[in-house]
């Protein structure tokens, strides 16, 4: 019953039992039913224990968050390529400068002057070619590799060139009939001599003739006649004092050439003076490109027969046929003449000289040829040429040309004549499949970001936007090297027509003829691919409007602009901004006045004027200046290119994990993106030509950075500082 009572109804004495509690109720709820004198002493200890527990949980969470951050955030890249990049950035900039007021100096202002990224990269590529050409190796006899290595070796053998002296050059002059200065002159027909100069020696004393695609659609190959290139700028409208100084320096140079060849000093002086007179008169016939453009006469299409009537002093058919063999020319062959008025005036001058001063005309052509061939001659001729160039640059207030070591000149010469061979060797060493794939992936990300950006441009209507997107979608891209450079069997040409030796000059002349023949042959053969305008080791990307193709050579996609092992911030900021800039060249026409009839012209004009005013407000160092109207298109491409590259980079962070950054630098990944962009633009400030299409280097950095709100955000720039202006332009 007892058990029944405890389990069943409510027994007597229930209220007392409840107050005292049961044994199991005391274990399960110790705070309830405890005597007051038992619970009070332990209360502080319990509170301390509870606080310790909470603090432990908080500390543990913090450690966990740090662990997660360190494993999910950017990790330092400590590979050799990243450490080398870190050393470059450290050496090329000035970290003590305020990023918000002078980012140009921060990125480019090294201790001993301003760094020049493109020039440095070009020299590094040539150094790589030098190592290739000087590495020991065995090549198949008569192969392109063997001849390229032999040519480079003979170019570097300066002692042999010095020992040969003027002998090889005198032989060339004798083949042309000699000249009156030396007393041994055989009067050869003028046009026969001119044809020899053009075809065998690559010298064009009165005009230039070359084979290029037609300037207008369908851009078929055509022989083009253009203005000549002169050694000295003999413009009579120059300040009289400067003009007299230029004439004096040029006369000194021509006298040196004649004297080095053993000419009688009196005759040399006489012939040199008349040669300068001929050059000066030809110079007066030139019309600036802007003038011809304003008159709508950039070029004329005429037949050889028609040109013969307009400029009869030149036997056009025989001279051009000799130059462009194996083409078969006829009187009805169409030509493109870039300045018809110059050609007519040139012909009249030559006709008068043939009547009165035939021997002086011969001397003028010979003196010009000697100048052209001077790189292949001994040190006395080269020094005379170098001295002339430096003095002319001083007189025309241009910066002096840097002195290049002999190996660099020889690399450039070898690359000119043996490009297919050197292209294959360079690509094999410097641009493997993994680099090619990474570069193409980067370009695809940039192109996708541009297409997305086009959807949001307020000044484009739907029709224009659709056309713009189609233009980008159907664009061809060439990355690395031409197809023939990626196929070793095509690059290993035998160059059977090249005969090297016995002198370096004769080797050069044989290469000149071989190169011209290969160029002509390439235009005669069906060629469905775009013809590259740069060598694979070059650093200049470009957009070709006729072929609608954008080209990024392997030489450009090298450190410090690009490497598969770099942090993505570097590749997007440097190479990516270059790619985006070149893509925007597609739309240059739209930004010109009247170039986009279906656009919101008011919005477009306001954005364009805003950008011009924005650039005009920037301070410039020293004597640096620029023409905002001339540089507008490039400024627009700089601003838009950086913005598109940053958008592409931001999207990549969402799609891909594992971003890295450079070690031992207080730069976030986003800051590193902007730092890498600025590195691309580094070069020395210099007085700008009013016709220069690029802004000074500081503006090419500050202009775009100040238009990206993210730059000010990530570098914590106060409102109103130079790179965080109160308003921005909305062009791209």
């Amino acid at each position: 019953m007892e058990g029944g009572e405890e389990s069943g109804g409510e027994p007597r004495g229930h209220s007392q039992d409840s107050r005292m509690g049961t044994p199991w109720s005391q274990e399960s709820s110790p705070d309830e039913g405890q005597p007051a004198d038992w619970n009070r002493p332990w209360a502080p200890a319990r509170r301390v224990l509870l606080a310790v527990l909470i603090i432990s949980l908080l500390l543990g969470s913090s450690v966990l968050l740090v662990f997660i951050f360190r494993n999910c955030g950017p990790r330092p890249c400590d590979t050799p390529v990243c450490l080398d990049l870190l050393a470059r950035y450290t050496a090329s900039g000035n970290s003590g400068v305020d990023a918000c007021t002078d980012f140009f100096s921060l990125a480019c202002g090294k201790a001993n002057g301003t760094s020049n990224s493109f020039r440095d990269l070009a020299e590094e590529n040539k150094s790589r070619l030098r190592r290739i050409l000087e590495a020991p190796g065995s090549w198949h006899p008569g192969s392109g590799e063997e001849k390229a290595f032999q040519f480079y070796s003979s170019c570097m053998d300066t002692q042999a060139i010095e020992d040969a002296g003027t002998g090889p050059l005198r032989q060339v002059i004798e083949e042309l009939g000699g000249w009156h200065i030396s007393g041994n002159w055989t009067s050869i027909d003028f046009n026969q001599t001119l044809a020899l100069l053009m075809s065998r020696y690559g010298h064009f004393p009165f005009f230039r003739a070359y084979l290029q695609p037609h300037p207008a659609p369908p851009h078929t190959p055509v022989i083009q006649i253009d203005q000549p290139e002169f050694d000295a700028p003999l413009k009579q409208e120059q300040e009289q004092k400067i003009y007299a100084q230029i004439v004096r320096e040029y006369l000194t140079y021509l006298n040196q050439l004649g004297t080095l060849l053993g000419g009688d000093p009196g005759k040399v002086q006489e012939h040199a003076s008349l040669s300068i007179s001929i050059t000066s008169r030809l110079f007066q016939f030139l019309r600036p490109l802007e003038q011809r453009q304003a008159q709508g006469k950039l070029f004329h299409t005429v037949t050889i027969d028609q040109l013969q009537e307009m400029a009869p002093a030149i036997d056009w058919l025989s001279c051009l046929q000799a130059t462009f063999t194996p083409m078969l020319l006829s009187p009805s062959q169409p030509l493109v003449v870039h300045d018809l008025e110059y050609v007519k005036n040139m012909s009249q001058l030559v006709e008068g000289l043939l009547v009165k001063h035939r021997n002086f005309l011969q001397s003028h052509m010979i003196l010009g040829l000697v100048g052209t061939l001077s790189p292949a001659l001994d040190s006395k001729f080269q020094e005379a040429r170098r001295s002339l160039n430096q003095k002319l640059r001083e007189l025309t207030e241009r910066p002096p040309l840097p002195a290049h070591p002999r190996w660099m000149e020889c690399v450039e010469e070898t690359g000119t004549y043996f490009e297919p061979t050197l292209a294959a060797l360079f690509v094999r060493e410097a641009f493997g499949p993994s680099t090619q794939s990474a570069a193409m992936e980067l370009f695809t990300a940039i192109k996708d970001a541009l297409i997305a950006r086009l959807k949001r441009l307020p000044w484009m209507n739907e029709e224009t936007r659709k056309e713009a997107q189609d233009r980008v979608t159907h664009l061809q891209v060439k990355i690395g090297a031409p197809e023939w450079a990626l196929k070793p069997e095509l690059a290993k040409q035998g160059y059977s027509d090249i005969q090297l030796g016995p002198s370096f000059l004769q080797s050069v002349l044989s290469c000149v003829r071989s190169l011209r023949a290969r160029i002509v042959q390439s235009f005669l053969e069906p060629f469905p691919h775009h013809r590259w305008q740069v060598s694979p080791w070059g650093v200049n990307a470009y957009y070709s409007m006729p072929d609608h193709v954008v080209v990024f050579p392997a030489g450009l996609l090298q450190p410090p602009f690009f490497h598969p092992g770099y942090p993505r911030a570097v590749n997007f900021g440097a190479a990516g901004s270059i790619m985006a800039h070149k893509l925007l060249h597609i739309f240059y026409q739209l930004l010109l006045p009247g170039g986009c009839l279906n656009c919101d012209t008011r919005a477009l004009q306001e954005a364009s004027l805003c950008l011009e005013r924005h650039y005009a407000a920037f301070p410039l160092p020293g004597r640096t200046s620029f023409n905002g109207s001339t540089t507008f298109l490039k400024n627009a491409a700089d601003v838009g290119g950086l913005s598109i590259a940053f958008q592409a980079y931001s999207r990549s962070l969402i799609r891909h994990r594992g971003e890295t950054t450079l070690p031992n630098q207080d730069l976030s990944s986003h800051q590193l993106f902007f730092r890498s962009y600025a590195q691309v633009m580094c070069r020395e400030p210099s007085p700008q030509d009013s016709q220069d299409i690029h802004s000074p280097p500081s503006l090419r950095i500050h202009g775009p950075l100040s238009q990206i709100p993210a730059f000010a955000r990530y570098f914590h720039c106060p409102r109103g500082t130079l790179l965080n202006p109160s308003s921005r332009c909305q062009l791209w």
Side-chain angles (χ1 to χ4, degrees):
M1 289 296 296
E2 189 178 16
E5 288 177 345
E6 291 175 354
S7 61
E10 184 175 350
R12 289 178 300 171
H14 173 72
S15 60
Q16 184 179 356
D17 293 339
S18 297
R19 287 194 303 270
M20 292 298 298
T22 58
W24 57 83
S25 68
Q26 291 174 5
E27 292 176 4
S28 60
S29 183
D31 290 333
E32 292 182 12
Q34 289 286 354
D37 58 343
W38 173 263
N39 192 40
R40 190 176 297 109
W42 287 95
R46 287 197 300 273
R47 285 195 293 272
V48 170
L49 288 173
L50 181 61
V52 170
L53 178 62
I54 293 172
I55 292 172
S56 299
L57 288 173
L58 290 174
L59 288 174
S61 300
S62 300
V63 172
L64 180 61
L65 288 173
V66 170
F67 176 81
I68 294 174
F69 176 78
R70 287 181 175 176
N71 284 271
C72 295
R75 294 172 289 103
C77 175
D78 55 5
T79 62
V81 293
C82 285
L83 294 177
D84 178 69
L85 182 66
L86 174 62
R88 289 173 183 264
Y89 281 8
T90 303
S92 67
N94 182 356
S95 59
V97 176
D98 181 11
C100 300
T101 59
D102 191 1
F103 205 78
F104 172 77
S105 295
L106 184 146
C108 311
K110 61 183 182 180
N112 58 345
T114 303
S115 57
N116 190 322
S117 297
F118 273 91
R119 184 190 63 199
D120 294 344
L121 178 55
E123 292 181 357
E124 288 179 22
N125 290 342
K126 290 173 185 174
S127 295
R128 187 188 292 268
L129 286 176
R130 178 193 185 185
R131 292 193 295 271
I132 292 173
L133 288 167
E134 293 182 354
S138 57
W139 308 105
H140 188 274
S143 65
E145 291 91 345
E146 184 189 55
K147 289 192 174 183
F149 280 67
Q150 288 178 347
F151 181 88
Y152 175 79
S153 179
S154 64
C155 180
M156 291 294 292
D157 190 356
T158 54
Q159 187 58 55
I161 296 173
E162 294 295 322
D163 291 343
T166 61
L169 181 56
R170 289 175 183 271
Q171 182 180 344
V172 169
I173 294 174
E174 289 174 6
E175 291 173 359
L176 293 168
W179 58 345
H180 197 264
I181 289 177
S182 63
N184 300 318
W185 178 48
T186 302
S187 181
I188 300 179
D189 178 73
F190 164 76
N191 276 288
Q192 183 180 347
T193 304
L194 181 60
L196 286 172
L197 286 171
M198 293 168 57
S199 61
R200 291 185 59 82
Y201 305 109
H203 178 57
F204 298 83
F206 303 105
F207 57 87
R208 282 188 300 136
Y210 52 87
L211 196 59
Q212 285 285 327
H214 196 287
H219 306 293
T220 53
V222 62
I223 295 174
Q224 307 196 27
I225 309 298
D226 210 341
Q227 300 172 346
E229 296 175 343
F230 295 103
D231 291 335
L234 298 176
K235 300 179 182 178
Q236 289 183 345
E237 62 269 19
Q238 290 171 325
E239 183 183 340
Q240 188 62 33
K241 181 180 178 182
I242 295 178
Y243 177 79
Q245 289 176 313
I246 291 175
V247 169
R248 191 179 305 114
E249 295 295 344
Y250 194 42
L251 181 60
T252 300
Y253 169 69
L254 295 183
N255 281 330
Q256 283 181 286
L257 299 187
T259 304
L260 288 171
L261 287 165
D264 175 79
K267 289 183 179 179
V268 169
Q269 179 80 16
E270 183 183 12
H271 285 246
S273 297
L274 189 57
S275 178
I276 289 178
S277 175
I278 294 172
T279 301
S280 180
R281 291 182 64 184
L282 290 173
F283 221 107
Q284 306 316 308
F285 300 151
L286 301 180
R287 291 186 302 154
L289 178 63
E290 298 77 22
Q291 180 183 339
R292 290 186 283 130
Q293 190 171 19
Q295 296 174 348
K297 297 179 179 179
L298 283 176
F299 63 87
H300 296 78
T301 301
V302 299
T303 64
I304 291 180
D305 222 4
Q306 291 171 331
L307 186 58
Q308 190 65 56
E309 292 182 11
M310 290 183 272
I314 309 298
D315 186 344
W316 294 99
L317 182 59
S318 64
C319 288
L320 296 178
Q321 182 63 78
T323 304
F324 295 102
T325 299
M327 288 181 69
L328 296 177
L329 305 182
S330 68
S332 60
Q333 178 79 28
L335 307 171
V336 166
V337 182
H338 287 265
D339 190 347
L340 194 56
E341 292 304 312
Y342 167 82
V343 172
K344 292 178 180 178
N345 290 326
M346 175 272 299
S347 176
Q348 292 177 6
L349 175 62
V350 170
E351 280 185 304
L353 291 169
L354 285 173
V355 173
K356 298 180 180 179
H357 302 289
R358 181 180 293 267
N359 58 341
F360 288 100
L361 194 60
Q362 174 82 355
S363 296
H364 172 74
M365 293 191 289
I366 296 295
L367 287 170
L369 174 63
V370 175
T372 300
L373 299 180
S374 60
L377 304 177
D378 64 45
S379 58
K380 294 184 290 294
F381 288 93
Q382 293 185 44
E383 181 55 37
R385 183 78 170 188
R386 189 178 302 113
S387 177
L388 172 68
N389 290 336
Q390 297 289 26
K391 288 176 180 176
L392 291 180
R393 295 185 75 86
E394 291 175 9
L395 290 172
T396 53
E397 297 184 340
R398 290 177 293 169
L401 292 173
H404 290 156
R406 179 69 182 180
W407 69 262
M408 189 176 294
E409 295 176 1
C410 291
V411 164
E412 292 172 353
E413 286 282 293
T414 309
T416 296
Y417 301 125
F418 297 90
E419 182 176 337
T421 295
L422 263 62
L425 295 173
F426 181 85
V427 169
R428 185 172 65 191
E429 180 172 314
F431 202 73
S434 61
T435 306
Q436 170 97 14
S437 176
M440 183 59 77
E441 182 180 348
L442 174 63
F443 175 79
T444 301
I446 296 294
K447 186 175 74 169
D448 290 346
L450 171 58
I451 292 175
R453 178 64 59 92
L454 292 174
K455 297 177 181 178
R456 302 199 305 268
L457 293 181
W459 50 269
M460 278 190 180
N461 63 7
E462 286 305 316
E463 181 183 355
T464 305
R465 184 175 291 110
K466 178 65 167 56
E467 292 177 356
Q469 291 173 337
D470 288 344
R471 291 278 291 168
V472 177
T473 302
H474 294 102
L475 176 73
Q476 297 181 70
V477 58
K478 305 293 183 181
I479 292 180
E483 288 79 358
W484 49 258
L486 303 177
K487 298 178 180 179
E489 66 276 9
L490 297 180
K492 293 181 178 179
Q493 299 186 21
Y495 305 97
S496 58
D497 56 341
I498 291 181
Q499 302 299 320
L500 298 180
S503 70
F504 180 60
L505 174 60
Q506 288 168 314
S507 296
V508 168
L509 293 176
S510 180
C511 289
V512 167
R513 292 188 284 271
S514 175
L515 176 61
R516 184 172 299 279
R518 291 201 306 274
I519 291 174
V520 173
Q521 190 62 44
S522 71
F523 276 101
L524 293 177
E525 295 174 354
F527 200 81
H529 306 294
H530 168 76
R531 290 180 174 87
W532 281 49
Q533 300 171 19
V534 295
S535 59
W537 56 86
V539 297
N540 295 320
Y542 66 92
Y543 167 67
S544 171
M545 185 181 297
D547 296 330
H548 193 46
V549 59
V550 63
V551 175
F552 303 100
L556 175 67
L557 300 171
Q558 300 292 320
F561 295 169
F562 180 81
H563 191 281
Y566 277 170
R568 282 197 299 273
V570 174
N571 289 335
F572 276 89
S577 63
I578 296 173
M579 290 177 172
H581 176 109
K582 295 303 175 184
L583 284 177
L584 291 179
H585 284 205
I586 302 172
F587 306 116
Y588 272 2
Q589 185 64 35
L590 296 181
L591 302 184
L592 295 174
C596 187
L597 299 178
N598 295 325
C599 293
D600 184 340
T601 54
R602 181 177 179 180
L604 178 57
Q605 185 178 17
E606 287 179 355
S608 300
L609 290 174
C610 174
L611 194 64
E612 286 192 37
R613 289 193 296 266
H614 178 72
Y615 270 73
F618 276 100
L620 292 173
R623 298 164 56 195
T624 307
S625 62
F626 79 108
N627 184 328
S629 299
T630 305
T631 63
F632 168 72
L633 291 178
K634 290 296 183 181
N635 294 340
D638 282 344
V639 171
L642 178 62
S643 179
I644 291 165
F646 184 75
Q647 178 181 334
Y649 174 62
S650 300
R651 295 170 69 173
S652 77
L653 292 178
I654 298 174
R655 297 176 180 178
H656 304 283
R657 296 183 181 275
E659 172 65 311
T660 58
T661 189
L662 295 182
N664 304 321
Q665 272 206 335
D666 190 20
L667 288 177
S668 68
S669 57
H670 291 93
Q671 290 175 325
L672 182 59
F673 169 89
F674 294 114
R675 174 68 175 80
S676 301
Y677 165 76
Q679 190 70 31
V680 170
M681 298 299 177
C682 287
R683 64 179 174 87
E684 298 91 344
S686 60
Q688 298 292 302
D689 184 342
S690 61
Q691 300 304 317
D692 191 348
I693 60 174
H694 292 101
S695 289
S698 61
L699 260 65
R700 297 197 71 186
I701 292 177
H702 292 160
L705 291 180
S706 62
Q707 290 294 296
I708 309 293
F711 173 84
R713 183 167 68 251
Y714 286 111
F715 280 94
H716 314 293
C717 296
R719 191 74 166 174
T721 54
L722 186 70
L723 299 185
N724 188 13
S726 56
S727 62
R728 294 180 171 87
C729 308
Q730 300 297 323
L731 184 61
W732 292 111

